[in-house]
Amino acid sequence: MTEGEMTEGEMTEGEMTEGGSSGGSSSDPIPVGTLAPFSQGLGWVGPNAARGRDVALQSINEELVLGREVEINEQDTETTPQAAVSGFTTLDQAGVVAMLGPSSSVIPNLFQPISDAGLPTLSVSAGTIQMNDVGGPDAYLWRTVPSDSIAGRAQGQYALDQGFESMAVSYKDDKGSQSFSASVADYFTGQGGSQVADVPLAIETDSYRSEVQEIVDSEPDVISMTAGTEVSALFMQNYIEAGADIPLFLGNDVLTPDFIERVGADVMAESPVFGQAPAPGPAFDQFEQRHRDLHGEAPGTFGAAGYDAMNLIALAAVRGGAADRETITQNINPVARPDGTEVSTFADGKSELEAGNEINYQGASNPQDFNEFGDPVGPFAVLEVSDASWAELTTFSADELTT
Amino acid sequence: MVLDPQFIWNGIVVGSIISVSALGLTLIFGILNFINIAYGDYMATGAYLAFALNAQIGLPLGVAIVAGVAGMAAGAVLIDKLVFEHFRTSSPVTLLIVSIGVAFFIRNLIRAIWGPTGNFYDVPIEANPNLFGVRYSVEQLSIIVASLLLLTAVYVLLRRTRIGIAMRAASDDRTLTRIRGVDTERLVLYVWIAGGAIAGLGGIMLGLDAQIRPNMGFTALIPIFAATILGGIGDPKGAVAGGFAIGILQEVSVVVVPSEYKFAVALAALIVGLLLRPDGLFGEATR
């Protein structure tokens, strides 16, 4: 048990209900930050995650955390490290007690500031391999999405399972996409496959026709292409135009109904296109329904991760009996501990904690079982397009992907 | 290493778009003597007008293209009346800065109306036919044919018509042309109509070949400027030659240079061109 964690016996009745918190008086709302890209290149990530977070928040503010509501302070990273650091400073000075954190492209710039501020941060979208050995209570850092290296293994292993021996790797030229592609290529070549092309995709360009041709000319058995919606849609168009009948793996950012609709359901279904994503967590179905009820639409990518992060922060405060940074930091892992009673909503978790039981939060995006570096480890599904939606082809268990 | 002819074809398509766009930019510069940074956003506006009529309202693509071109021609005149006309006697630097403001306004207006994400015209996405190892699309053929027709038409306009001859005269010396009795304000109007229409067409071509997004014209400005300057700024035939040179160089370069440096290749070509031919490809720079 990490120093500062509270056991069942240590939680007094008073701590389990109200009081004992910092971050304001006992009646003030608890300030929680959200630092995410709401504009520029990854401007779609923030809104998706915030909608998921708000689903959790609705329940949290009905049930209350230590008798208090949670109030969100939202800052935009603008997908740039400079704006991210600025936004982080704003949240830190505003006294938020925890934070839903940003994406791969900026989070490495925040490792030190997060640690210096002692501000518990749960990234809802950073898959970067730079976080593989950074995180956990000592670093005040977690993520509710799996590492790219786990996702890369799923993609690479499926390719190997299909008998593909050579792979062309292409990626949007930013840190997040590079990280994912490197994970795929490392695993694929490490298991005996060969990489025959490495083609970065410029972010601001009007055509990837020549890049697709370069890939086709390298005669790969399979293509791995990682990028966000804009780049992927244009790449898909050029890939289809090129008549390249080469299996294509897409990154998990575009495994959405919107992307299928944008490219065309028929075209996507006819093309040998695959994707891989964390297999939905145990709580996904109820989360999806509540998301539809609240927002009138299905959750987008990272929505479930935002939901899980918000629930974990609130449950950590309830378990610790205080809404301050240190208490939340020391109680994130304990509320997702496998030997606790499984719960998938804040209300159930709060109820169990108040009854003196330990809990194991089962998330909507994945089971949220953290390793020592604050990374969740869970199963991954390989998907293909069928009937205008992403359908599961096969699933790799967490053990298969981590051994 | 054998060069895949597909790269050459891709370069010709991109070169056609750059040539047409550079032609409009250089026409405006020739008469008005300033670099219009908003030109890329004129292209985007033309593309979005056609998109709205085609993909959102459902008009046939041909009708939408004609309306998009006409709409942008009218839009260029309107912007001139609202903005640039008030700075007619200002220095080129002042006009350039004003055009930056216009560019930001247009781009954000597009974002406000159509959103920040990319869009496609209502044309099917399908595998292109293959001829001798080169895959081509109907849209690409149309782009090349349309650009050749336009380039020929502009050449004839400038060489064989009174308006064109007056334009060339004003491009050489606007004051002297006015003294000789030419209504240069009317010429300015014609240039905005022609330049706006060509910008609109260039944007639609770009949207057909790629995707339609708010900053599509702005990002296309780098190769367009490179083509314009390489060909000799103010020289229409130089802009066309520069456009094809830049387009083909950019697309072929991905064989040996990582593709994210495509624009750098355009700029490198520009530097080399200026070192070897400082007055432009045909030696008629800044006419």
Side-chain angles (χ1 to χ4, degrees), chain B residues 220-286:
Chain B
L221 274 184
I222 293 174
I224 292 170
F225 275 133
T228 306
I229 297 168
L230 181 67
I233 190 162
D235 179 7
K237 67 176 181 297
V240 171
F244 279 106
I246 295 287
I248 292 171
L249 266 174
Q250 269 192 181
E251 295 304 310
V252 170
S253 72
V254 300
V255 178
V256 289
V257 179
S259 62
E260 70 262 43
Y261 300 121
K262 262 199 291 194
F263 289 148
V265 170
L267 294 173
L270 170 64
I271 292 168
V272 172
L274 286 177
L275 286 172
L276 299 177
R277 303 281 299 173
D279 290 334
L281 289 175
F282 300 101
E284 297 177 83
T286 320

Side-chain angles (χ1 to χ4, degrees), chain A residues 40 44 171 173 178 198-217 229-231 233-244 262-264 267 270, chain B residues 4 6-7 10-11 13-14 116-120 123 125-129 133 135 137 139-140 206 208-211 213 215-216 219-220 250-252 254-255 257-263:
Chain A
Q40 308 291 343
W44 54 274
Y171 48 87
D173 200 9
Q178 286 169 358
D198 183 291
V199 182
L201 302 168
I203 294 170
E204 293 286 353
T205 191
D206 295 307
S207 162
Y208 295 119
R209 204 162 279 129
S210 292
E211 287 85 343
V212 169
Q213 193 59 41
E214 187 184 353
I215 291 168
V216 171
D217 287 351
T229 306
E230 297 296 307
V231 169
L234 184 56
F235 185 94
M236 276 296 300
Q237 184 187 26
N238 295 154
Y239 161 84
I240 292 163
E241 286 172 353
R262 183 160 174 185
V263 176
V267 177
E270 289 167 7
Chain B
D4 189 329
Q6 186 70 51
F7 291 109
N10 293 348
V13 174
V14 173
T117 56
N119 295 284
F120 296 106
V123 291
I125 300 176
E126 56 194 9
N128 290 335
R135 287 192 177 271
S137 68
E139 291 80 23
Q140 289 176 327
L206 194 54
L208 273 174
D209 189 48
Q211 63 178 338
R213 54 198 174 93
N215 56 347
M216 60 187 285
T219 51
Q250 269 192 181
E251 295 304 310
V252 170
V254 300
V255 178
V257 179
S259 62
E260 70 262 43
Y261 300 121
K262 262 199 291 194
F263 289 148

